[in-house]
Amino acid sequence: MNFDFSEDQRQLRDTARRALVPFAGAAREALEGGPGSELGGLGSGMWSLAGEMGWLGAAIPERFGGVGLGRLELCVLAEEFGRILAPIPFSSTVYAFAETLMACADEATQAHWLAQVAAGKAIGCLAASEGAGTVSPGRIEAALRGGKLYGSKTPVADGDSAHAAIVLAKDESGGLRLVLVALSQAGVSRKVLETLDPTRGHAELSFDGAAATPLGAPGSGWGEYERACDRVAALLAFEQLGGAQACLDMAVGYAKSRYAFGRPIGSFQAIKHKLADMYVAIEVARSNAYYGAWALEQGGRELAQAAAAARVAASEAFTLAAKENVQTHGGMGFTWAADCHMFMRRAKLLAVQIGAPGVWREKLVRALEQSNQG
Amino acid sequence: MDFNDTPEEAAFRTQAQAFLAATCSPKAARKSAERPARMEEAQASYLARAKAYQAKKADAGFAGLTWAPEHGGRGLAPIFSVIFGQEEARFDAPGAPFTIGLGMCLPTVIAFGAQPHKERYVRPALRGEEIWCQLFSEPAAGSDVAGIKTRAVRDGDNWRVSGQKVWTSGAHYSDFGLLLARTDPGAHKHKGLTMFFLDMRSKGVEARPIHQASGESEFNEVFFDDVVIPDAQRLGDIGQGWSVALVTLMNERLAVGGSPGPDYQDMMAFAAGALAADGKTSLLADSAFRQSLADWYVSAEGYKLGRFRTMTALSRGQAPGPEASIGKILNANRLQEITSAAIDAQDHYGVVMGQSAASDLFLRSYLWAPGLRIAGGTDEILKNIIAERVLGLPADPRADKGIAFKDLPTGA
Ligand SMILES: Cc1cc2nc3c(=O)[nH]c(=O)nc-3n(C[C@H](O)[C@H](O)[C@H](O)COP(=O)(O)OP(=O)(O)OC[C@H]3O[C@@H](n4cnc5c(N)ncnc54)[C@H](O)[C@@H]3O)c2cc1C
């Protein structure tokens, strides 16, 4: 047993961290509507960097133009993106779109889209939610009829900038199916949504007879969607972890330098214990995330349980770290100018993106029940 | 990253399973429930069983797995202890009386003892023939353990010790004790300490069991009345007792902090057979219960997997850091939550003893859990350690700096 990333993977992390240094302000620019804001930060150059460095195609096979590394490498990158609140559609394109295509699209579809993703030419997204409430099979109204898609999806993460979407829809038999839709066609309209976190794009996508290609077998849609979510959860947990760690680092730094009552605030136990609680939550999240990463790489039966645990722990840690980071900064933490609120925004965004914490706790217990039954 | 056993680990696991199957009976309840189950059994019979098992374990080469071969160990990486622990947990394998000795005291003897001592004491401890206890805490010094008062005064080749220890687990059945004593009250409090070990049957030592909140009597007050300890039984230099104690305490972090009571699995099994508040559906189907269950699982896994991460770090030659303190915070608090929730879930009837083994397990553990948040460093002290040593935050302002120990305020 070896429960850590390899030397190569740690090198990848260091390389990524260094390469991202010039982009430390990208999320802020996106927030302020500066040069990095159009298309969710693509303009800042971070997206092209991700393409040039081979990060977009890290887990895409070489025959499709990728680098052919594994999911563990994606986990390493995710943590680095999370740390700097990267304002780019990496998670939608890579964890959701490309990974789902690799799991259930045919060879030709994969060849076309994966090559585009790896080259940084295509942004993808996953569209399931149709409005308020938890996504569940009975609530899906989007429908595929005669190869055309009808209905609407909202909110769709990165739906504003995506070139293609994987959509959860009913097919003619009434069963669910994932379908692939190119978004630059007549029959697709988008409405950009304002969300809690302006540094990441969201849209409502409406389909009125858009050409759509079914993925996977008829009736497989819900199962494929849940497995897609498990993979996204395992990877997103690392983004959340990176964000949480960044909050703790900020809070510790501030607690050492800010003085009150003639001493650094970090020498007050109320602050110390708060930061220790953040550390404990982050370590719990990190351990669960590592197991999720391993299960993802293995691609076996453990994934559902491991991904759910990773996600529950990561959402908890990031939410806690983000809010207590504000508290540690006092009045300064409540300003627009301090970055604290950007982490609060992102923490919540990521916590609900593929299902809120309560949904994942329930999934986790279901997985536990299943593993108990053998 | 790889969770599967290496071929070497798998082979070791098979050997461990074979030994355990031949030596112990499989356990219906989980090992994590060992402590409350143990409360049912008379102490003497439990001790005899534990000693017999420990001897077989040592003879088969499964004790002291990580210790150097010259100390009767096998010189294996820490992961092998974890593997053995995982397998042992499936069996009725009583090991509690040796946790402090083998986990904390003997590693200190190995680190600071003279060669003849190691030859004399290590092997019998490994075989469970001799039990060791840790004589650190005193009435006026627990968290602030460097504030102990028990005096050791030099007398030729000997030391004469007088004073009192308290909360000493197992002192009443221990053969030897690791003793932190004050040798220079005129020095600063951390400077005037020296470490010794002694025979618990020495003249002038008296251990009196203390009746615990949980009902049993496992820890003791220990009185020292002019007890003679040969200077040869000093561990480390005179005045260096604090550095020696830190080695003991560092080992403590790896030795304690496991999950010694009912955990999420027990709670799941219990809920499957219990009713939710509506009196109709299973508690296991209750959504609020399921939400909590998920959190307990995440915490339990966080501990278990975190330990694997520590093992991986150790196998790379890194020292066990204060990070390991997290485990005890997680497990002790989870135990308190779980036992409390199990009682609440049964409403009025939750407090009634003797309804079922499962329900008694929760009741007993509910009473025992608070001790876990105190023993081996309180939650608050562990959080201070994380904040100061891991996160690098400034130390608490101290009122005891630069003052001779004898002049410190005590509140008494
Ligand atoms: C079941 C059990 C078994 C034990 N076994 C042993 C044993 O075998 N050998 C041994 O030597 N000892 C043993 N102990 C003693 C244990 O180590 C001490 O009880 C513990 O360290 C706390 O010390 P105290 O009881 O003096 O409490 P105090 O130190 O008086 O603490 C009281 C409260 O004040 C808080 N506090 C104290 N200092 C600080 C601070 N700096 N910052 C914030 N809060 C603070 C504590 O967290 C606690 O909440 C055992 C205890 C228990 C409960």
Side-chain angles (χ1 to χ4, degrees):
Chain A
M1 171 156 72
N2 170 12
F3 197 22
D4 201 353
F5 290 100
S6 69
E7 194 49 49
D8 284 354
Q9 286 153 356
R10 279 179 285 160
Q11 254 167 34
L12 173 67
R13 179 188 61 203
D14 295 345
T15 308
R17 194 170 293 181
R18 269 197 308 277
L20 288 170
V21 167
F23 297 94
R28 171 61 67 173
E29 281 172 19
L31 178 74
E32 307 288 2
S37 67
E38 71 270 24
L39 296 183
L42 290 173
S44 72
M46 198 192 287
W47 189 252
S48 9
L49 177 79
E52 286 154 24
M53 299 293 284
W55 297 339
L56 289 166
I60 292 175
E62 283 169 288
R63 68 178 196 283
F64 297 136
V67 185
L69 297 169
R71 272 69 195 177
L72 294 177
E73 284 74 12
L74 284 184
C75 293
V76 166
L77 293 171
E79 187 173 348
E80 296 312 310
F81 285 132
R83 197 182 274 277
I84 61 163
L85 300 177
I88 52 172
F90 192 84
S91 56
S92 302
T93 304
V94 177
Y95 321 155
F97 184 73
E99 289 292 317
T100 307
L101 288 182
M102 282 188 262
C104 56
D106 61 32
E107 182 82 9
T109 310
Q110 289 192 15
H112 175 75
W113 284 106
L114 294 179
Q116 301 257 349
V117 166
K121 292 196 185 117
I123 294 168
C125 62
L126 178 65
S129 168
E130 298 189 1
T134 298
V135 175
S136 65
R139 279 191 161 144
I140 301 302
E141 294 299 332
L144 181 69
R145 286 194 298 270
K148 308 269 184 214
L149 184 65
Y150 300 87
S152 74
K153 294 285 174 182
T154 184
V156 180
D158 301 305
D160 57 336
S161 59
H163 301 98
I166 294 173
V167 179
L168 180 62
K170 288 192 285 204
D171 63 15
E172 271 110 344
S173 68
L176 292 178
R177 196 107 186 242
L178 291 181
V179 300
L180 176 65
V181 191
L183 296 178
S184 54
Q185 55 171 310
V188 176
S189 55
R190 339 183 185 215
K191 191 172 104 200
V192 172
L193 301 174
E194 193 183 332
T195 74
L196 189 66
D197 181 0
T199 67
R200 292 298 316 279
H202 280 76
E204 176 178 334
L205 298 182
S206 299
F207 306 99
D208 187 13
T213 318
L215 302 173
S220 68
W222 183 251
E224 293 293 359
Y225 172 67
E226 290 230 288
R227 280 187 290 280
C229 286
D230 290 346
R231 290 186 292 266
V232 175
L235 289 157
L236 217 46
F238 280 86
E239 280 200 15
Q240 294 172 299
L241 196 55
Q245 186 68 52
C247 289
L248 178 58
D249 293 348
M250 273 173 86
V252 166
Y254 193 73
K256 286 181 187 169
S257 59
R258 169 77 181 172
Y259 276 63
F261 301 93
R263 43 194 268 217
I265 58 165
S267 69
F268 296 112
Q269 284 198 352
I271 296 289
K272 275 188 188 173
H273 289 190
K274 184 191 292 307
L275 301 188
D277 289 341
M278 284 159 72
Y279 175 79
V280 170
I282 289 171
E283 286 301 295
V284 167
R286 185 173 293 284
S287 296
N288 278 288
Y290 279 25
Y291 186 61
W294 178 79
L296 180 66
E297 177 79 4
Q298 297 283 302
R301 274 163 36 104
E302 299 95 349
L303 180 62
Q305 189 169 318
R311 178 151 175 83
V312 169
S315 296
E316 176 73 28
F318 195 7
T319 309
L320 176 78
K323 84 177 177 181
E324 297 306 338
N325 183 33
V326 174
Q327 186 68 16
T328 304
H329 279 75
M332 179 58 78
F334 187 60
T335 61
W336 181 265
D339 287 348
C340 302
H341 69 104
M342 295 171 62
F343 286 90
M344 283 209 63
R345 292 165 187 274
R346 182 64 67 83
K348 217 27 155 185
L349 184 82
L350 295 187
V352 300
Q353 191 156 75
I354 46 163
V359 173
W360 283 91
R361 288 194 176 91
E362 175 56 34
K363 281 191 190 207
L364 173 55
V365 173
R366 253 184 282 140
L368 265 171
E369 288 173 314
Q370 263 154 26
S371 70
N372 273 359
Q373 279 154 17
Chain B
M1 192 169 306
D2 190 1
F3 265 90
N4 296 317
D5 287 344
T6 61
E8 195 194 349
E9 287 162 1
F12 175 82
R13 193 184 290 279
T14 312
Q15 291 160 14
Q17 284 162 347
F19 162 73
L20 287 160
T23 317
C24 313
S25 43
K27 174 173 270 179
R30 293 167 345 94
K31 149 94 168 201
S32 69
E34 169 170 335
R35 181 159 201 107
R38 180 149 68 88
M39 295 177 184
E40 300 282 336
E41 186 174 350
Q43 205 161 61
S45 100
Y46 178 80
L47 260 183
R49 225 154 50 77
K51 286 188 167 197
Y53 168 64
Q54 187 67 24
K56 289 183 195 159
K57 181 169 160 180
D59 293 346
F62 291 109
L65 290 168
T66 58
W67 295 6
E70 70 256 37
H71 305 127
R74 292 206 11 208
L76 293 173
I79 185 65
F80 290 93
S81 302
V82 172
I83 293 175
F84 189 81
Q86 287 170 343
E87 296 306 321
E88 200 179 32
R90 302 175 211 277
F91 291 87
D92 183 15
F98 314 109
T99 313
I100 290 176
L102 298 182
M104 305 160 63
C105 301
L106 271 299
T108 312
V109 172
I110 289 173
F112 295 95
Q115 192 54 33
H117 289 145
K118 296 184 206 170
E119 282 161 19
R120 159 66 188 82
Y121 295 106
V122 175
R123 182 81 192 146
L126 264 187
R127 295 193 78 248
E129 289 159 17
E130 291 173 351
I131 298 182
W132 286 63
C133 63
Q134 178 205 14
L135 297 154
F136 284 20
S137 303
E138 295 187 5
S143 302
D144 185 14
V145 71
I148 55 137
K149 291 186 186 147
T150 293
R151 272 289 267 137
V153 180
R154 188 76 190 240
D155 179 15
D157 283 344
N158 295 321
W159 295 81
R160 292 187 169 270
V161 177
S162 292
Q164 186 199 340
K165 295 290 170 179
V166 75
W167 324 129
T168 318
S169 302
H172 55 310
Y173 55 68
S174 287
D175 302 284
F176 294 92
L178 188 65
L179 173 77
L180 187 63
R182 184 160 303 279
T183 43
D184 183 1
H188 178 259
K189 84 178 181 187
H190 290 88
K191 297 270 155 62
L193 302 172
T194 304
M195 189 74 82
F196 302 91
F197 68 86
L198 84 162
D199 187 331
M200 290 297 283
R201 291 183 195 81
S202 308
K203 185 162 172 291
V205 178
E206 188 194 349
R208 293 186 201 149
I210 300 173
H211 197 187
Q212 288 163 201
S214 51
E216 353 68 274
S217 306
E218 282 181 332
F219 60 24
N220 297 263
E221 357 179 44
V222 182
F223 296 89
F224 297 86
D225 181 13
D226 206 25
V227 176
V228 175
I229 301 181
D231 185 54
Q233 290 177 201
R234 173 164 49 80
L235 296 172
D237 291 340
I238 298 170
Q240 289 299 307
W242 185 243
S243 330
V244 180
L246 288 178
V247 170
T248 316
L249 297 174
M250 187 181 82
N251 279 287
E252 180 169 34
R253 297 199 189 102
L254 286 178
V256 303
S259 146
D263 213 326
Y264 73 89
Q265 302 96 323
D266 305 87
M267 199 57 173
M268 235 178 133
F270 167 74
L275 289 179
D278 65 6
K280 294 186 206 92
T281 46
S282 159
L283 178 59
L284 190 51
D286 181 75
S287 65
F289 176 81
R290 293 167 76 84
Q291 294 282 307
S292 303
L293 183 62
D295 287 333
W296 296 325
Y297 172 82
V298 163
S299 154
E301 286 287 293
Y303 164 70
K304 186 186 96 183
L305 299 166
R307 221 172 146 89
F308 291 161
R309 286 174 52 215
T310 306
M311 294 300 143
T312 302
L314 289 176
S315 71
R316 290 216 193 97
Q318 289 162 248
E323 299 86 351
S325 304
I326 298 172
K328 201 172 80 79
I329 297 179
L330 287 175
N331 291 335
N333 285 280
R334 187 173 68 258
L335 182 63
Q336 253 187 338
E337 272 183 41
I338 285 183
T339 53
S340 172
I343 295 170
D344 291 355
Q346 302 170 76
D347 211 314
H348 303 255
Y349 206 52
V351 292
V352 177
M353 297 265 191
Q355 322 169 31
S356 70
S359 160
D360 278 7
L361 176 66
F362 291 118
L363 284 167
R364 286 172 190 286
S365 304
Y366 171 79
L367 291 173
W368 193 78
L372 197 66
R373 290 184 55 201
I374 297 165
T378 64
D379 281 10
E380 291 75 18
I381 292 297
L382 295 179
K383 286 184 188 182
N384 286 348
I385 290 176
I386 290 172
E388 292 174 18
R389 302 215 209 123
V390 183
L391 303 178
L393 293 168
D396 281 5
R398 310 190 66 131
D400 57 3
K401 247 193 197 143
I403 304 175
F405 178 72
K406 59 182 172 45
D407 301 326
L408 286 178
T410 61

